[in-house]
Amino acid sequence: MNNPKRVAILGSTGSIGTQTLEVVRQHREEFQVEVLTAQNNFQLLIEQAIEFEPNAVVIANDEHYAAVRDELQPKGIKVFAGAKSIAQVVEMDTIDVVLTALVGYSGLIPTIHAIKAGKNIALANKETLVVAGEIITALAKEYGVNINPVDSEHSAIFQCLVGEFHNPIEKIILTASGGPFRGKDRDYLSTVTKAQALKHPNWDMGAKVTIDSASMMNKGLEVIEAKWLFGLQREQIDVVVHPQSIVHSLVQFEDGSLKAQLGLPDMRIPIQFALSFPDRLKSDFERFDFANFASLDFEAPDMDTFRNLRLAFDSLERGGNAPCILNAANEIVVEAFLKDQIGFLEMSDVIEEALTKVEYLKEPSLEDHIETDSRTRELAKELLLKIS
Ligand code: MG
């Protein structure tokens, strides 16, 4: 019996975080929770800490610090507050792997700290690679750490590559469910509400990624994430719409052979594989049954209607800080859409304008990315004022 892997879960109260704890609950001998962090949901953080007895917790919003400390400190759990503390706790000696399920850009700095401390990463925060993929992958190489994808499509590719790491990839095909608005036209999309956008047909996820799925930006971000995880060029990445979300993605090798990974849409499978790799652990998750799926459908994505996907491909091709601009503008417009401040299609308008107006840098440093991120946010907010 090996010692359990000691896991830090950044963003433990969100959708990925809670599902990660379900995985741990089924495999108490394989995994031990060392650190839990949450943004705002301090009640759930306290409950989780009482159940899983981590070494330390961080509540990012320091307004809730006293409440968390009063509950957990008497139990011998260290309690910290503030976003900066997240970047510090990941360096603890007792952590083997850091699962990053923070939302958006906020995952970047803690991930850098974790890599520099030599921690393997289970990456659920795709925005980190979108914003600074070149820097992150170079650091991972320098410090000899693995980045195992949690995103289901990238996990599928990762699983297809087991035993194939010496064989070049000809291309990958990322599947997309198409979200709740698949097949709709721009007229229809001009009037959709956030309630409609938040109803994803297959996956139960956090609000940000659900809106990104409806707008196809999620697939756009995943295209950029895939480039960095697997070292690919634009022409090696295809997207196909597959409404049932059973085929999670495919790899095509140089002999023309395609490998796919399939299963029910259940995030616990990729979460578990990212933590247990190279082993597979027994689970009681529901199994796929062909009897329930008479057909699996595939179609080309509509990049004229869902312009975000094209903007993402363009940003990937341009490189430099373009994906950072794309991501920052997207975070602002998604927030605005969730507050009913702009319409669904206007999200792409603002992102496109930000991409033309924020200064392009071909070889940005980390500081340049941080600067690009904040400039883009300011500009996107100005653009929003003009719209509303
Ligand atoms: Mg995904």
Side-chain angles (χ1 to χ4, degrees), residues 126 151-153 218 222:
K126 64 194 81 179
D151 213 342
S152 61
E153 296 79 357
N218 183 52
E222 288 181 354

Side-chain angles (χ1 to χ4, degrees), residues 126 151-154 203 205 209 218-219 222 225 267:
K126 64 194 81 179
D151 213 342
S152 61
E153 296 79 357
H154 305 74
W203 296 97
M205 308 175 287
V209 58
N218 183 52
K219 208 51 50 182
E222 288 181 354
E225 180 186 13
M267 281 309 295

Side-chain angles (χ1 to χ4, degrees), residues 45 74 94 161 168 208 226 237 257 262 264 299 306 334 365 381:
L45 179 67
T94 50
L161 290 175
K208 200 263 175 180
I237 307 173
S257 183
L262 288 75
L264 290 173
E299 62 198 41
F306 296 92
V334 168
S365 64
K381 284 178 187 165

Side-chain angles (χ1 to χ4, degrees), residues 96-295:
D96 299 312
V97 55
V98 177
L99 185 134
T100 63
L102 297 164
V103 180
Y105 177 82
S106 68
L108 177 65
I109 301 298
T111 305
I112 290 175
H113 279 254
I115 294 172
K116 286 187 172 173
K119 312 301 182 191
N120 287 321
I121 306 291
L123 186 88
N125 171 248
K126 64 194 81 179
E127 290 88 346
T128 288
L129 282 182
V130 171
V131 170
E134 194 156 18
I135 292 170
I136 295 291
T137 48
L139 276 177
K141 206 168 168 193
E142 183 183 344
Y143 288 88
V145 312
N146 297 322
I147 300 180
N148 293 348
V150 169
D151 213 342
S152 61
E153 296 79 357
H154 305 74
S155 176
I157 291 162
F158 183 51
Q159 293 183 54
C160 291
L161 290 175
V162 171
E164 303 272 11
F165 286 101
H166 59 296
N167 288 322
I169 297 170
E170 189 165 81
K171 67 153 109 166
I172 64 166
I173 301 163
L174 292 175
T175 53
S177 69
F181 305 139
R182 183 177 61 88
K184 304 296 187 198
D185 60 17
R186 294 182 64 80
D187 265 358
Y188 179 91
L189 292 179
S190 64
T191 62
V192 296
T193 63
K194 76 174 178 208
Q196 289 170 289
L198 283 169
K199 280 203 188 101
H200 196 278
N202 304 339
W203 296 97
D204 183 12
M205 308 175 287
K208 200 263 175 180
V209 58
T210 305
I211 299 300
D212 283 345
S213 293
S215 72
M216 295 288 281
M217 181 56 94
N218 183 52
K219 208 51 50 182
L221 299 176
E222 288 181 354
V223 163
I224 301 170
E225 180 186 13
K227 173 202 162 76
W228 294 114
L229 278 173
F230 306 110
L232 303 172
Q233 302 300 315
R234 156 76 184 88
E235 341 42 274
Q236 291 175 287
I237 307 173
D238 277 354
V239 171
V240 66
V241 174
H242 166 44
Q244 293 87 4
S245 297
I246 297 299
V247 178
H248 296 307
S249 280
L250 309 92
V251 179
Q252 182 175 307
F253 294 95
E254 290 186 320
D255 58 357
S257 183
L258 274 172
K259 279 170 88 173
Q261 186 262 343
L262 288 75
L264 290 173
D266 184 339
M267 281 309 295
R268 293 173 301 178
I269 296 175
I271 290 168
Q272 180 169 301
F273 191 71
L275 294 175
S276 68
F277 174 81
D279 300 321
R280 290 190 184 273
L281 304 178
K282 200 170 171 58
S283 85
D284 65 0
F285 309 147
E286 192 187 342
R287 286 354 187 203
F288 173 77
D289 182 351
F290 276 99
N292 297 329
F293 292 87
S295 63

Side-chain angles (χ1 to χ4, degrees), residues 329-351:
N330 183 58
E331 289 191 21
I332 295 297
V333 296
V334 168
E335 207 180 285
F337 179 72
L338 285 169
K339 289 181 186 157
D340 299 313
Q341 289 166 350
I342 58 167
F344 189 80
L345 291 175
E346 285 163 342
M347 291 197 284
S348 306
D349 298 339
V350 172
I351 296 165

